Amino acid sequence: MDLLYILLGVLCLYLGGEGLVRGASALGRAMGMSPLVVGLTFVSMGTSSPELAASIAAVLQNAPAVSFGNVVGSNIANLALILGLVAVLHPLRIDREFLRRDIPLLLIVSIWCLWLSWNGWITRLEGLLLLGVLALYLTLLLKTSAKRPVLSDSSPSAKPPLSNLRSSIFVGLLGIGLLVLGAHLLVNGSVNLARSHGISERVIGLTIVAFGTSLPELASSLVAVLRKESSLILGNLIGSNIFNILLIFGVTALVRPIAVSGAGVMVDLAMMIGVSILVTLFMLSGRRLNRIEGVILVALYCGYVGSLFR
């Protein structure tokens, strides 16, 4: 039965990724937003919804290690595994504004996460502060989008009529629903299999749950690769990492303060920050992410996951 859940989850994630990219791209164009901002807002929020659901469920079930590992592991997977795979399939051009605004924020919130976790708790007040920073970031994004309307990587003049706005919203919401359902099925099936083999909650959160809830990012990014939407891919993955820290830790801490403890937690956070720095360095070198750099990122992820099971 668990294997059936896993297979159904993968199918729902693919269909949801297709729907989310179609709906979000059309909606963003209808609103005059650039693909990068669409990825940083609509797509990122949609693909982060499984992580949010899984983290809240884990903390309510008194499994904080799963909740914390889910966010940290998802961020590592997004940058090392998914961004690496995408770069191997389709080398990415990096927007200059993206390097100036979004990448520094990613580094800042990643380091902030380490600082917040140092005393062993992420409190409700700290969760509220995280959500406040997110609100400021979204305000900046929307203002920037209004000043720099770039409609599409491939067809800058293709702006859909506003009459398609409702259908775009419906397709996007349907995609998010399928993503959440797919992640739920996949995570439940995978966690049941893992626990039957005696794997720790920390490792479950960092690997199975994190990878399962990151599959929406993978599915939507692969669909965007087929559509040659480089900006949408970058916005999705970097935006998801920012949302994972600010939104998911923020909301989860408000529901119940998150206990951060156990061996290896600081190592995991250091890995998350290290991957973020490495990706930044790659992007700064010629404002591209090429296939060789993608291979390095994927190899780094495989080595990290392998070390968890030793």
Side-chain angles (χ1 to χ4, degrees):
M1 195 64 177
D2 291 329
L3 289 176
L4 178 60
Y5 284 159
I6 291 172
L7 293 174
L8 287 175
V10 171
L11 176 62
C12 288
L13 287 169
Y14 171 75
L15 295 175
E18 174 72 16
L20 180 60
V21 171
R22 282 177 179 269
S25 297
L27 178 61
R29 286 195 298 270
M31 297 175 64
M33 297 171 66
S34 70
L36 177 61
V37 175
V38 171
L40 286 164
T41 53
F42 294 118
V43 179
S44 293
M45 283 187 281
T47 56
S48 289
S49 55
E51 282 98 330
L52 178 60
S55 291
I56 292 176
V59 79
L60 289 177
Q61 293 173 18
N62 199 28
V66 173
S67 176
F68 190 82
N70 173 33
V71 172
V72 175
S74 291
N75 278 18
I76 294 171
N78 285 346
L79 291 185
L81 177 63
I82 300 175
L83 186 60
L85 285 174
V86 168
V88 171
L89 296 172
H90 176 66
L92 302 171
R93 292 180 291 107
I94 314 300
D95 183 82
R96 195 182 301 274
E97 180 70 14
F98 178 73
L99 284 173
R100 286 200 300 259
R101 178 193 61 206
D102 306 301
I103 290 297
L105 180 62
L106 172 65
L107 295 174
I108 289 170
V109 299
S110 297
I111 295 170
W112 189 20
C113 181
L114 175 64
W115 183 76
L116 291 177
S117 306
W118 200 262
N119 65 352
W121 288 93
I122 299 179
T123 65
R124 285 191 171 93
L125 177 59
E126 291 167 339
L128 193 61
L129 289 174
L130 290 168
L131 293 175
V133 172
L134 177 62
L136 291 174
Y137 173 59
L138 290 176
T139 301
L140 174 64
L141 274 181
L142 294 176
K143 286 184 177 180
T144 303
S145 177
K147 293 177 181 178
R148 300 180 66 222
V150 181
L151 302 175
S152 175
D153 287 347
S154 56
S155 54
S157 61
K159 183 175 181 178
L162 291 177
S163 60
N164 291 336
L165 191 59
R166 288 184 180 177
S167 61
S168 299
I169 293 174
F170 174 77
V171 171
L173 290 176
L174 179 62
I176 291 173
L178 287 171
L179 289 172
V180 174
L181 175 61
H184 175 74
L185 291 171
L186 180 66
V187 168
N188 277 0
S190 300
V191 168
N192 287 340
L193 287 176
R195 282 179 173 166
S196 68
H197 289 81
I199 302 174
S200 72
E201 282 189 357
R202 169 182 169 251
V203 174
I204 289 174
L206 286 166
T207 57
I208 298 172
V209 178
F211 179 73
T213 55
S214 288
L215 278 177
E217 284 89 344
L218 176 60
S220 56
S221 293
L222 291 178
V223 172
V225 166
L226 296 176
R227 297 173 174 275
K228 294 181 169 42
E229 292 274 13
S230 295
S231 295
L232 190 65
I233 295 166
L234 289 169
N236 174 24
L237 295 177
I238 302 303
S240 289
N241 276 28
I242 293 171
F243 273 85
N244 283 351
I245 294 173
L246 297 180
L247 176 65
I248 298 176
F249 275 153
V251 172
T252 304
L254 285 180
V255 173
R256 179 176 292 180
I258 306 170
V260 183
S261 60
V265 169
M266 292 303 161
V267 174
D268 302 327
L269 285 169
M271 177 67 180
M272 182 183 74
I273 295 170
V275 171
S276 300
I277 293 173
L278 181 61
V279 167
T280 300
L281 294 175
F282 284 161
M283 289 183 176
L284 288 172
S285 61
R287 289 175 50 208
R288 286 181 64 85
L289 195 63
N290 60 43
R291 287 189 172 91
I292 294 177
E293 292 164 341
V295 170
I296 293 172
L297 290 172
V298 173
L300 181 62
Y301 181 78
C302 292
Y304 167 70
V305 172
S307 70
L308 293 175
F309 290 93
R310 290 176 185 170

